Amino acid sequence: MSKNVFVVVVQHQGAIRQSAAELMGEAARLAADLGQQAVAVLLGHDVARHAQDLIQWGADEVLVVDHPVLESYTTEPYVKSVSHVIGMYEPQIVLFSADSIGRDMAPRIAARVHTGLTADCIRLDVDGEQYRTYLQAESSLRAEEIEALELSGSNLKMTMPAFGGNAMATILCPDHRPQMATVRPGVLAVPAKDPARTGKITVVDVGLSPADRHVEILESTESEKQSVDIAAAGILVAGGRGVGGPEGFEALHRLAEVLGGEVASSRIEQNDWVEKARQVGQTGKTVRPDLYLACGISGAIQHMVGMEHAGRVIAINKDATCPMMKRADLGIVGDLQEILPKLTEAIAAYQAEKAAR
């Protein structure tokens, strides 16, 4: 019988990414709803030192798959390793990060273990009533339609953007196990570490050998260009088409500098207004800032998907009825090119006065 919620954790240059913490916290929540355990599958070479971090983030057990051929990610040995672990332990749910590695690995593993895969999820639910509450708040279904849904059982409800981000779809995999999903980095909260947590660490031999390394990495070179990580920013000043052009972003940069934040954007990279690394949304990054200033952004669902978990949202737009105004905690109706300089000046003056006290 399938049981437990597994998270596949891949090391990169000796470190594990923040998405591992996000998924571990989510796995612990889902496992609690199921009355089961959260298990991390940690792959790499000399990676056992990370096991305690995963336990502190919520893992009840860490399965360590350690071998020299796993030192750098290549498809075949990683896919073979995870497929072997799934065959040995028969998990009910397996989660991957929807990064470049997870997107390469997960579909191949799903094919080998003969199950389905839901890609790029932004929400996961096991508890039927929690999912019903989510639908009541976020979906366009009528109340009677939501109440009529059959949501009992332990099927994982995997919610993802569909139809180019114009709708949300919830996928179930009722007939096959494990239920597998890749989850967008940044969409889940990072759990606080609990130094008092204890867990089991198990070294697993999956039968790897040098012959499993079909590709040899001769050299790995990091790009010298340091792209901004808007997903880590606590304050984002985001601009959309309403900014008017690349010169319009100058005011956003000045405001972000005063606030100690970063500049972001909606999907306008095809106009070369701002680099793609700053794009928020379905085809960009998912962010969770404490403060999100949406300037000239109407609020298409493709963008909302990427910032829906922001703390406070302030919208500046000429259109008082646009979706972003409805999402915002505070809406300012007007010309942002007039408002932003005054707002920047007022904040800078306040900061100077505060520092002089």
Side-chain angles (χ1 to χ4, degrees):
M1 179 180 176
S2 299
K3 66 175 183 178
N4 297 333
V5 182
F6 279 37
V7 173
V8 176
V9 180
V10 177
Q11 63 85 27
H12 176 67
Q13 295 186 339
I16 55 177
R17 295 173 174 171
Q18 178 176 292
S19 57
E22 298 169 5
L23 288 177
M24 208 66 255
E26 184 72 356
R29 182 184 70 84
L30 295 172
D33 288 342
L34 290 167
Q36 299 177 9
Q37 290 194 324
V39 179
V41 183
L42 175 59
L43 301 105
H45 185 45
D46 293 332
V47 291
R49 64 186 183 278
H50 298 301
Q52 194 57 43
D53 290 325
L54 294 167
I55 289 170
Q56 292 179 7
W57 280 321
D60 298 299
E61 182 175 6
V62 180
L63 305 178
V64 180
V65 183
D66 194 306
H67 196 280
V69 302
L70 300 176
E71 184 171 8
S72 297
Y73 177 78
T74 56
T75 301
E76 178 55 30
Y78 273 79
V79 169
K80 177 180 177 178
S81 298
V82 178
S83 300
H84 189 93
V85 169
I86 290 174
M88 288 177 64
Y89 288 88
E90 299 183 347
Q92 182 167 341
I93 295 169
V94 182
L95 305 179
F96 303 79
S97 175
D99 54 21
S100 57
I101 291 176
R103 287 169 173 161
D104 178 69
M105 180 170 41
R108 291 174 167 84
I109 295 169
R112 294 194 186 188
V113 302
H114 306 292
T115 192
L117 171 70
T118 303
D120 215 25
C121 294
I122 62 168
R123 182 183 174 90
L124 301 170
D125 290 283
V126 168
D127 183 272
E129 291 310 308
Q130 288 181 5
Y131 179 65
R132 202 185 303 275
T133 300
Y134 163 71
L135 290 179
Q136 289 168 347
E138 301 293 339
S139 79
S140 59
L141 292 173
R142 298 191 302 272
E144 57 269 25
E145 292 175 320
I146 295 173
E147 288 301 320
L149 291 173
E150 174 51 55
L151 298 176
S152 60
S154 59
N155 284 319
L156 182 63
K157 300 150 191 71
M158 299 169 278
T159 303
M160 58 170 288
F163 300 107
N166 291 302
M168 293 294 165
T170 299
I171 311 298
L172 278 68
C173 182
D175 299 325
H176 297 276
R177 294 293 183 268
Q179 303 163 94
M180 288 176 46
T182 63
V183 183
R184 276 192 174 194
V187 76
L188 303 172
V190 177
K193 277 189 173 182
D194 181 358
R197 284 196 92 252
T198 58
K200 182 180 178 183
I201 300 174
T202 305
V203 177
V204 180
D205 182 359
V206 298
L208 288 174
S209 73
D212 292 307
R213 181 160 32 200
H214 297 173
V215 175
E216 183 180 359
I217 297 177
L218 300 179
E219 183 181 5
S220 178
T221 304
E222 291 291 321
S223 172
E224 293 183 4
K225 181 180 179 181
Q226 299 294 318
S227 62
V228 64
D229 183 10
I230 59 172
I235 298 175
L236 285 176
V237 181
R241 292 187 180 276
V243 171
E247 65 284 349
F249 273 86
E250 295 175 6
L252 276 70
H253 279 284
R254 288 193 290 270
L255 178 57
E257 183 178 356
V258 168
L259 291 172
E262 291 286 353
V263 170
S265 77
S266 61
R267 188 181 178 181
I268 52 176
E269 82 287 351
Q270 65 270 27
N271 293 322
D272 297 325
W273 291 4
V274 66
E275 61 265 37
K276 188 175 181 180
R278 296 184 184 274
Q279 181 181 311
V280 174
Q282 185 192 7
T283 56
K285 293 185 178 179
T286 300
V287 297
R288 302 176 67 98
D290 299 319
L291 176 62
Y292 191 85
L293 283 86
C295 307
I297 299 176
S298 62
I301 190 170
Q302 294 94 330
H303 182 75
M304 294 293 206
V305 165
M307 50 72 63
E308 65 176 339
H309 296 291
R312 296 289 182 183
V313 177
I314 298 175
I316 305 173
N317 206 297
K318 292 180 180 179
D319 183 0
T321 63
C322 69
M324 185 60 76
M325 284 293 199
K326 297 176 182 178
R327 166 64 179 85
D329 299 288
L330 172 64
I332 302 174
V333 181
D335 185 343
L336 62 90
Q337 297 301 343
E338 296 180 4
I339 294 169
L340 289 183
K342 294 178 180 179
L343 180 59
T344 303
E345 183 181 349
I347 293 173
Y350 170 78
Q351 291 174 339
E353 180 184 347
K354 185 176 180 181
R357 291 174 186 170

